Amino acid sequence: MKLTLDVTATDGRARAGTVTTSRGTFRTPIFMPVGTRGSIRALMTHELAGLAAADGTQAEVVLGNTYHLMLRPGADVVADLGGLHRFTGWDGLMLTDSGGYQVFSLEPKLHDGGAEFRSTYDGSTHLLTPEGAVATQELLGADIQMVLDVCAPLPSSRQVLREALELTASWAARARAAHRRTEDQALFGIVQGGAELDLRKESARRTSELDFDGYAVGGLSVGETREEMLPALEAALDELPEDQPRYLMGVGDPVSIVESVARGIDMFDCVLPTRLARHGTLLTDDGRLNIKRAEFARSDDPVDAACPCATCRRYSRGYLRHLSAVGEPAAASLCSVHNLTWMFGFVGRTRAAIAAGTLESLRRDVAEVWSGSGPGLGDA
């Protein structure tokens, strides 16, 4: 299903709007939580469904990972149990990554045919082809699936980036040919090219020529600085259709989000909110807060009195510090509830700033608080 962005407001190159799928709509800009194995770590599906920022922004799209789900429990098992939505109990929209991030993180053997992975679970060998990635994601039943791509680490030589671009382009064409353009599942192409501006432009042109249902920019936030990332992003966006959703993969720090929105990105995903939560770090309007600090031992204050999340409404900083200090699993859950609620509120404020024409002011405020936060954290 070819997706289009219904733009409701603009501020410079930034745009806010809605994207319609066969299952429903989602608002942009959007942050999508990562449920790699079919679950947000430390949260149950019904807990995620109940999270909402003060302006009502909630999780509208959740990610699953093809590589992990095809190994455990198996895409056929998920299909037999009704597909990812029924299997996980999630009534919203779902997007599945193709396994391309594992090309970066697990360093499989790559060739024209595909990527040969060794299972992280039992050591068995698996060949993931572009066609196989499409077929697997069709079994999983996500609303949006991604092509199999090659995500090269940065820095990499120009030769390595060129080889990754060529394999990505070849695999994208094969995935596009294998995908059955139906009304219930969209297929996104992915742009590569590292921090080389000409390679980014070339990859974006070649990807858009394949007429995908939406477009993603991959291979960023994988070792480069933000100063290197943003020009590469701009180069890619210059060549992508303006009427379709644009997704920046694996980026979740506030500065990179708002700067990317200002350049025309609509969709984001990252494990940053939940990974930080598992280590006792909370996101606030004043920056990161380490709840394990001794100064909070006797604090009866909530993390943020203005936050509507259940953690802030019910529990004190002192209690959260105690749970984190003794390693109680509840600490990860409670901190994840807050961090995801904060992130939903952040993208909601970004969307409101576009509508009000005040995005530049928000960019300055975010940079002042978060300029040292660094790029996102990739996979779970």
Side-chain angles (χ1 to χ4, degrees):
M1 178 180 183
K2 192 168 185 176
L3 304 184
T4 57
L5 177 67
D6 180 15
V7 177
T8 57
T10 61
D11 188 353
R13 296 188 66 179
R15 66 260 193 98
T18 59
V19 177
T20 301
T21 74
S22 61
R23 192 182 298 271
T25 62
F26 62 88
R27 295 179 296 170
T28 65
I30 184 173
F31 177 81
M32 304 177 289
V34 179
T36 299
R37 296 171 177 85
S39 174
I40 308 297
R41 285 197 180 182
L43 283 185
M44 291 179 283
T45 301
H46 69 269
E47 291 178 300
L48 177 66
L51 302 187
D55 69 347
T57 300
Q58 295 178 282
E60 297 181 40
V61 184
V62 172
L63 267 68
N65 183 271
T66 297
Y67 166 81
H68 286 286
L69 291 169
M70 78 177 190
L71 295 177
R72 295 287 189 278
D76 56 335
V77 173
V78 174
D80 287 346
L81 292 174
L84 268 179
H85 296 83
R86 184 176 177 188
F87 183 58
T88 63
W90 177 247
D91 294 330
L93 301 170
M94 297 201 75
L95 181 153
T96 43
D97 188 5
S98 64
Y101 184 79
Q102 280 65 44
V103 172
F104 163 73
S105 62
L106 300 180
E107 299 181 345
K109 181 179 178 181
L110 303 177
H111 49 73
D112 289 344
E116 291 186 30
F117 291 96
R118 188 171 295 278
S119 170
T120 58
Y121 299 99
D122 60 14
S124 58
T125 301
H126 301 264
L127 174 63
L128 185 59
T129 67
E131 297 84 358
V134 167
T136 298
Q137 291 177 91
E138 287 177 349
L139 283 172
L140 293 173
D143 304 288
I144 299 172
Q145 64 162 280
M146 310 300 297
V147 299
L148 183 64
D149 65 318
V150 180
C151 176
L154 293 177
S156 286
S157 68
R158 187 173 175 87
Q159 179 181 349
V160 168
L161 295 174
R162 165 58 68 183
E163 291 171 354
L165 187 159
E166 293 296 340
L167 265 184
T168 295
S170 172
W171 290 357
R174 289 166 54 186
R176 185 69 190 86
H179 181 248
R180 297 173 295 130
R181 179 170 269 173
T182 63
E183 288 301 310
D184 60 355
Q185 192 173 65
L187 177 66
F188 277 33
I190 302 177
V191 177
Q192 291 293 340
E196 301 287 335
L197 305 189
D198 61 325
L199 295 185
R200 281 286 170 184
K201 286 181 176 291
E202 177 186 343
S203 179
R205 283 196 302 269
R206 293 170 68 175
T207 304
S208 61
E209 287 170 358
L210 293 171
D211 188 30
F212 282 103
D213 302 322
Y215 296 90
V217 179
L220 293 175
S221 189
V222 290
E224 82 286 2
T225 65
R226 191 181 292 117
E227 289 70 26
E228 294 170 314
M229 181 187 83
L230 294 175
L233 178 62
E234 290 177 354
L237 291 175
D238 285 343
E239 305 296 332
L240 293 179
E242 293 187 357
D243 61 341
Q244 291 181 264
R246 299 156 161 181
Y247 166 27
L248 179 55
M249 305 179 74
V251 171
D253 73 277
V255 174
S256 293
I257 287 179
V258 74
E259 289 299 323
S260 300
V261 166
R263 288 160 171 81
I265 286 291
D266 310 300
M267 303 167 63
F268 301 87
D269 81 280
C270 194
V271 301
L272 182 142
T274 49
R275 179 174 288 176
L276 289 180
R278 295 196 298 275
H279 295 282
T281 298
L282 296 166
L283 305 174
T284 77
D285 290 348
D286 297 320
R288 295 186 184 187
L289 184 153
N290 182 356
I291 200 63
K292 295 182 179 180
R293 286 161 48 184
E295 66 185 273
F296 299 130
R298 297 179 183 276
S299 175
D300 195 40
D301 295 330
V303 173
D304 181 352
C307 178
C309 80
T311 300
C312 290
R313 291 200 314 268
R314 187 179 294 265
Y315 303 105
S316 69
R317 294 183 179 191
Y319 182 61
L320 294 177
R321 180 188 182 275
H322 160 67
L323 294 180
S324 296
V326 298
E328 277 291 337
S333 297
L334 292 172
C335 290
S336 293
V337 163
H338 171 78
N339 279 358
L340 285 174
T341 302
W342 185 90
M343 185 61 79
F344 297 149
F346 177 72
V347 296
R349 291 195 299 274
T350 303
R351 190 163 53 236
I354 296 171
T358 58
L359 185 63
E360 187 60 36
S361 176
L362 179 64
R363 290 171 72 181
R364 290 194 298 268
D365 293 345
V366 170
E368 183 177 348
V369 174
W370 294 95
S371 58
S373 62
L377 295 173
D379 201 3

